[in-house]
Amino acid sequence: MSFFVDTSVWSLALRRDADPDLPEVRRLRRALADREAVVTSGIVLQELLQGVRGPKGRAAILERFSALPLLVPDRQDHVEAADIRNRCRRRGVQLGTIDALLVRLCLRRELVLLTTDRDFDHASRHLPLRLWRPASE
């Protein structure tokens, strides 16, 4: 299984005071330990760096993320992300611009999204987005 890990899960996994029993954090750690495909994007890296305190935290994130493939959206990804956001909005689902782009990257590359952000649950009712669920293990 190939995973795209959302900022919400990375934030929890990288916190010193995080609950290690959160299913999403356990799944991320297992995927990394088992060398499963785990990818990210520049925007997720940026979001994590924006929330970090101090140069040591920044350096730790940069080091950990240096081994992960970085998905770079192209023009069509942005066009499709806008369509995804508009489709969701017409169906009463509010999906942010960044989240729509992440959905597009997952759909295009057939990735399973590992997230704790429930906005993706709502979007997945209207899109073929595959979300990891604890029961799916």
Side-chain angles (χ1 to χ4, degrees):
M1 187 176 312
S2 298
F3 290 102
F4 186 99
V5 182
D6 182 39
T7 307
S8 62
V9 175
W10 283 116
S11 294
L12 291 168
L14 296 172
R15 288 178 53 180
R16 294 177 208 255
D17 62 344
D19 180 354
D21 286 332
L22 289 170
E24 293 84 1
V25 173
R26 281 197 322 264
R27 186 61 182 101
L28 170 59
R29 289 185 176 147
R30 194 168 83 239
L32 292 170
D34 293 347
R35 297 193 179 277
E36 292 180 72
V38 174
V39 300
T40 192
S41 69
I43 197 66
V44 169
L45 177 59
Q46 180 180 336
E47 287 180 323
L48 289 170
L49 290 171
Q50 288 170 173
V52 73
R53 291 187 179 171
K56 286 183 183 178
R58 181 181 186 278
I61 289 172
L62 290 173
E63 180 182 335
R64 287 181 175 150
F65 274 67
S66 67
L68 296 177
L70 191 70
L71 300 182
V72 179
D74 63 18
R75 179 185 307 264
Q76 192 60 34
D77 289 324
H78 290 285
V79 170
E80 294 293 329
D83 291 344
I84 287 168
R85 188 165 188 264
N86 291 337
R87 184 177 333 146
C88 285
R89 187 179 62 231
R90 283 192 301 273
R91 294 186 172 132
V93 174
Q94 294 300 315
L95 189 65
T97 301
I98 291 171
D99 289 350
L101 182 58
L102 299 183
V103 168
R104 166 58 183 170
L105 293 174
C106 288
L107 293 175
R108 177 178 173 196
R109 292 173 174 84
E110 298 181 357
L111 300 168
V112 175
L113 181 60
L114 182 57
T115 186
T116 60
D117 184 338
R118 296 302 148 222
D119 289 342
F120 292 108
D121 285 332
H122 303 298
S124 71
R125 293 184 193 124
H126 307 285
L127 302 163
L129 177 63
R130 295 182 341 180
L131 298 174
W132 180 84
R133 305 243 193 262
S136 69
E137 289 276 282

